Short mmCIF file of all heavy atoms in Angstrom, two decimals:
data_model
loop_
_atom_site.label_atom_id
_atom_site.label_comp_id
_atom_site.label_asym_id
_atom_site.label_seq_id
_atom_site.Cartn_x
_atom_site.Cartn_y
_atom_site.Cartn_z
N ILE A 889 0.86 -1.18 0.00
CA ILE A 889 0.00 -0.01 0.01
C ILE A 889 0.89 1.23 0.00
O ILE A 889 1.70 1.43 0.91
CB ILE A 889 -0.95 0.02 1.20
CG1 ILE A 889 -1.86 -1.21 1.17
CG2 ILE A 889 -1.79 1.30 1.21
CD1 ILE A 889 -2.77 -1.36 2.37
N VAL A 890 0.77 2.04 -1.06
CA VAL A 890 1.57 3.25 -1.21
C VAL A 890 0.72 4.46 -0.81
O VAL A 890 -0.39 4.64 -1.32
CB VAL A 890 2.05 3.41 -2.67
CG1 VAL A 890 2.88 4.68 -2.81
CG2 VAL A 890 2.86 2.19 -3.09
N LEU A 891 1.23 5.26 0.10
CA LEU A 891 0.54 6.48 0.53
C LEU A 891 1.17 7.66 -0.20
O LEU A 891 2.39 7.84 -0.15
CB LEU A 891 0.64 6.66 2.05
CG LEU A 891 0.09 5.50 2.89
CD1 LEU A 891 0.21 5.81 4.37
CD2 LEU A 891 -1.34 5.18 2.53
N SER A 892 0.35 8.43 -0.88
CA SER A 892 0.89 9.50 -1.72
C SER A 892 -0.02 10.71 -1.69
O SER A 892 -0.97 10.80 -0.89
CB SER A 892 1.05 8.98 -3.16
OG SER A 892 1.67 9.95 -3.98
N SER A 893 0.27 11.68 -2.55
CA SER A 893 -0.53 12.91 -2.65
C SER A 893 -0.38 13.43 -4.07
O SER A 893 0.47 12.98 -4.83
CB SER A 893 -0.05 13.95 -1.63
OG SER A 893 1.35 14.16 -1.75
N SER A 894 -1.25 14.36 -4.41
CA SER A 894 -1.22 14.96 -5.76
C SER A 894 -1.60 16.42 -5.68
O SER A 894 -2.33 16.83 -4.75
CB SER A 894 -2.19 14.19 -6.67
OG SER A 894 -2.12 14.66 -8.01
N HIS A 895 -1.10 17.21 -6.61
CA HIS A 895 -1.37 18.65 -6.61
C HIS A 895 -2.87 18.93 -6.70
O HIS A 895 -3.54 18.47 -7.61
CB HIS A 895 -0.66 19.33 -7.77
CG HIS A 895 0.83 19.42 -7.61
ND1 HIS A 895 1.42 20.13 -6.58
CD2 HIS A 895 1.84 18.90 -8.37
CE1 HIS A 895 2.74 20.04 -6.70
NE2 HIS A 895 3.02 19.31 -7.77
N SER A 896 -3.38 19.70 -5.75
CA SER A 896 -4.82 20.00 -5.74
C SER A 896 -5.23 20.86 -6.92
O SER A 896 -6.36 20.81 -7.37
CB SER A 896 -5.20 20.68 -4.43
OG SER A 896 -4.49 21.89 -4.26
N TYR A 897 -4.28 21.67 -7.45
CA TYR A 897 -4.64 22.55 -8.55
C TYR A 897 -4.79 21.83 -9.89
O TYR A 897 -5.19 22.43 -10.89
CB TYR A 897 -3.65 23.72 -8.67
CG TYR A 897 -2.22 23.36 -8.96
CD1 TYR A 897 -1.80 23.04 -10.25
CD2 TYR A 897 -1.28 23.38 -7.96
CE1 TYR A 897 -0.48 22.71 -10.51
CE2 TYR A 897 0.06 23.06 -8.19
CZ TYR A 897 0.44 22.73 -9.47
OH TYR A 897 1.76 22.41 -9.73
N HIS A 898 -4.46 20.52 -9.92
CA HIS A 898 -4.65 19.75 -11.14
C HIS A 898 -6.04 19.07 -11.18
O HIS A 898 -6.32 18.36 -12.15
CB HIS A 898 -3.57 18.66 -11.25
CG HIS A 898 -2.31 19.14 -11.86
ND1 HIS A 898 -2.07 19.14 -13.21
CD2 HIS A 898 -1.18 19.65 -11.29
CE1 HIS A 898 -0.86 19.61 -13.47
NE2 HIS A 898 -0.29 19.93 -12.32
N ARG A 899 -6.86 19.28 -10.18
CA ARG A 899 -8.16 18.63 -10.17
C ARG A 899 -9.08 19.17 -11.27
O ARG A 899 -9.04 20.36 -11.59
CB ARG A 899 -8.83 18.83 -8.82
CG ARG A 899 -8.23 18.03 -7.69
CD ARG A 899 -8.91 18.31 -6.37
NE ARG A 899 -8.64 19.70 -5.94
CZ ARG A 899 -9.18 20.26 -4.86
NH1 ARG A 899 -10.05 19.58 -4.13
NH2 ARG A 899 -8.90 21.48 -4.55
N ASN A 900 -9.91 18.29 -11.79
CA ASN A 900 -10.93 18.72 -12.75
C ASN A 900 -12.23 19.07 -11.99
O ASN A 900 -12.28 19.00 -10.75
CB ASN A 900 -11.19 17.67 -13.83
CG ASN A 900 -11.59 16.32 -13.24
OD1 ASN A 900 -12.24 16.26 -12.18
ND2 ASN A 900 -11.21 15.23 -13.91
N ASP A 901 -13.27 19.44 -12.72
CA ASP A 901 -14.51 19.88 -12.08
C ASP A 901 -15.13 18.79 -11.20
O ASP A 901 -15.63 19.05 -10.12
CB ASP A 901 -15.51 20.33 -13.14
CG ASP A 901 -15.10 21.64 -13.81
OD1 ASP A 901 -14.22 22.31 -13.26
OD2 ASP A 901 -15.64 21.97 -14.88
N VAL A 902 -15.12 17.55 -11.70
CA VAL A 902 -15.70 16.45 -10.93
C VAL A 902 -14.93 16.26 -9.62
O VAL A 902 -15.52 16.05 -8.54
CB VAL A 902 -15.68 15.13 -11.74
CG1 VAL A 902 -16.12 13.95 -10.90
CG2 VAL A 902 -16.57 15.27 -12.98
N GLN A 903 -13.59 16.30 -9.68
CA GLN A 903 -12.77 16.10 -8.49
C GLN A 903 -12.93 17.24 -7.49
O GLN A 903 -12.85 17.04 -6.28
CB GLN A 903 -11.32 15.94 -8.90
CG GLN A 903 -11.06 14.63 -9.69
CD GLN A 903 -9.70 14.60 -10.35
OE1 GLN A 903 -9.09 15.65 -10.61
NE2 GLN A 903 -9.20 13.41 -10.65
N LEU A 904 -13.14 18.45 -8.00
CA LEU A 904 -13.35 19.60 -7.11
C LEU A 904 -14.62 19.48 -6.30
O LEU A 904 -14.71 19.99 -5.18
CB LEU A 904 -13.37 20.88 -7.93
CG LEU A 904 -12.02 21.42 -8.43
CD1 LEU A 904 -12.24 22.51 -9.48
CD2 LEU A 904 -11.19 21.95 -7.28
N ARG A 905 -15.61 18.79 -6.84
CA ARG A 905 -16.91 18.69 -6.18
C ARG A 905 -17.04 17.45 -5.31
O ARG A 905 -18.12 17.20 -4.75
CB ARG A 905 -18.04 18.69 -7.22
CG ARG A 905 -18.22 20.03 -7.95
CD ARG A 905 -19.55 20.06 -8.71
NE ARG A 905 -19.55 19.09 -9.79
CZ ARG A 905 -19.21 19.36 -11.05
NH1 ARG A 905 -18.85 20.59 -11.38
NH2 ARG A 905 -19.24 18.43 -11.99
N SER A 906 -15.97 16.66 -5.20
CA SER A 906 -16.06 15.41 -4.45
C SER A 906 -14.95 15.35 -3.39
O SER A 906 -14.20 16.29 -3.18
CB SER A 906 -15.97 14.21 -5.40
OG SER A 906 -14.73 14.22 -6.08
N THR A 907 -14.86 14.20 -2.75
CA THR A 907 -13.85 13.99 -1.71
C THR A 907 -12.44 14.19 -2.28
O THR A 907 -12.17 13.90 -3.45
CB THR A 907 -13.98 12.58 -1.14
OG1 THR A 907 -12.88 12.31 -0.24
CG2 THR A 907 -13.93 11.52 -2.23
N PRO A 908 -11.49 14.67 -1.47
CA PRO A 908 -10.10 14.87 -1.95
C PRO A 908 -9.29 13.57 -1.96
O PRO A 908 -8.12 13.60 -2.36
CB PRO A 908 -9.52 15.85 -0.94
CG PRO A 908 -10.26 15.59 0.31
CD PRO A 908 -11.68 15.24 -0.11
N PHE A 909 -9.90 12.46 -1.55
CA PHE A 909 -9.17 11.18 -1.50
C PHE A 909 -9.47 10.36 -2.74
O PHE A 909 -10.59 10.34 -3.25
CB PHE A 909 -9.54 10.40 -0.24
CG PHE A 909 -9.15 11.10 1.04
CD1 PHE A 909 -10.09 11.80 1.78
CD2 PHE A 909 -7.84 11.04 1.51
CE1 PHE A 909 -9.74 12.44 2.95
CE2 PHE A 909 -7.49 11.68 2.67
CZ PHE A 909 -8.44 12.39 3.40
N ARG A 910 -8.46 9.60 -3.20
CA ARG A 910 -8.61 8.70 -4.33
C ARG A 910 -7.79 7.43 -4.08
O ARG A 910 -6.88 7.41 -3.25
CB ARG A 910 -8.12 9.36 -5.63
CG ARG A 910 -9.00 10.48 -6.15
CD ARG A 910 -10.35 9.98 -6.60
NE ARG A 910 -11.17 11.01 -7.22
CZ ARG A 910 -11.92 11.89 -6.56
NH1 ARG A 910 -11.94 11.87 -5.24
NH2 ARG A 910 -12.65 12.77 -7.22
N TYR A 911 -8.12 6.37 -4.82
CA TYR A 911 -7.37 5.13 -4.71
C TYR A 911 -7.14 4.52 -6.09
O TYR A 911 -7.84 4.83 -7.07
CB TYR A 911 -8.10 4.13 -3.83
CG TYR A 911 -9.30 3.47 -4.49
CD1 TYR A 911 -9.14 2.25 -5.17
CD2 TYR A 911 -10.56 4.05 -4.46
CE1 TYR A 911 -10.24 1.65 -5.80
CE2 TYR A 911 -11.64 3.46 -5.08
CZ TYR A 911 -11.47 2.25 -5.75
OH TYR A 911 -12.54 1.65 -6.38
N LEU A 912 -6.13 3.66 -6.18
CA LEU A 912 -5.84 2.88 -7.38
C LEU A 912 -5.54 1.44 -6.92
O LEU A 912 -4.86 1.25 -5.90
CB LEU A 912 -4.64 3.42 -8.13
CG LEU A 912 -4.83 4.66 -9.00
CD1 LEU A 912 -3.46 5.16 -9.47
CD2 LEU A 912 -5.71 4.36 -10.19
N LEU A 913 -6.00 0.47 -7.66
CA LEU A 913 -5.73 -0.95 -7.37
C LEU A 913 -5.15 -1.61 -8.61
O LEU A 913 -5.67 -1.42 -9.71
CB LEU A 913 -7.00 -1.69 -6.95
CG LEU A 913 -7.77 -1.20 -5.71
CD1 LEU A 913 -9.03 -2.03 -5.53
CD2 LEU A 913 -6.91 -1.27 -4.47
N THR A 914 -4.11 -2.41 -8.43
CA THR A 914 -3.61 -3.21 -9.54
C THR A 914 -4.60 -4.35 -9.77
O THR A 914 -5.36 -4.73 -8.85
CB THR A 914 -2.20 -3.77 -9.22
OG1 THR A 914 -2.30 -4.60 -8.06
CG2 THR A 914 -1.22 -2.65 -9.00
N PRO A 915 -4.59 -4.94 -10.98
CA PRO A 915 -5.54 -6.04 -11.27
C PRO A 915 -5.45 -7.18 -10.26
O PRO A 915 -6.48 -7.75 -9.87
CB PRO A 915 -5.12 -6.49 -12.67
CG PRO A 915 -4.55 -5.25 -13.30
CD PRO A 915 -3.85 -4.52 -12.18
N SER A 916 -4.23 -7.54 -9.83
CA SER A 916 -4.09 -8.65 -8.88
C SER A 916 -4.62 -8.27 -7.50
O SER A 916 -4.99 -9.17 -6.70
CB SER A 916 -2.64 -9.10 -8.78
OG SER A 916 -1.81 -8.01 -8.50
N MET A 917 -4.68 -6.99 -7.18
CA MET A 917 -5.23 -6.55 -5.90
C MET A 917 -6.75 -6.49 -5.96
O MET A 917 -7.43 -6.80 -4.96
CB MET A 917 -4.66 -5.17 -5.54
CG MET A 917 -5.17 -4.59 -4.23
SD MET A 917 -4.55 -5.47 -2.79
CE MET A 917 -3.55 -4.20 -2.04
N GLN A 918 -7.29 -6.14 -7.11
CA GLN A 918 -8.74 -6.01 -7.25
C GLN A 918 -9.45 -7.32 -6.91
O GLN A 918 -10.54 -7.31 -6.33
CB GLN A 918 -9.09 -5.59 -8.67
CG GLN A 918 -8.74 -4.14 -8.98
CD GLN A 918 -9.03 -3.75 -10.42
OE1 GLN A 918 -9.43 -4.60 -11.21
NE2 GLN A 918 -8.86 -2.48 -10.73
N LYS A 919 -8.86 -8.44 -7.26
CA LYS A 919 -9.50 -9.74 -7.04
C LYS A 919 -9.85 -9.97 -5.57
O LYS A 919 -10.89 -10.54 -5.25
CB LYS A 919 -8.59 -10.86 -7.54
CG LYS A 919 -8.25 -10.79 -9.01
CD LYS A 919 -7.20 -11.84 -9.36
CE LYS A 919 -6.72 -11.69 -10.81
NZ LYS A 919 -5.64 -12.65 -11.14
#
């Protein structure tokens, strides 16, 4: 599990209207 962050000023309109947290899963993790 990698804990990271991303520039808030790169958010699009959908991201601005929702939670500031996001996740990504590799295919082997999704299972």
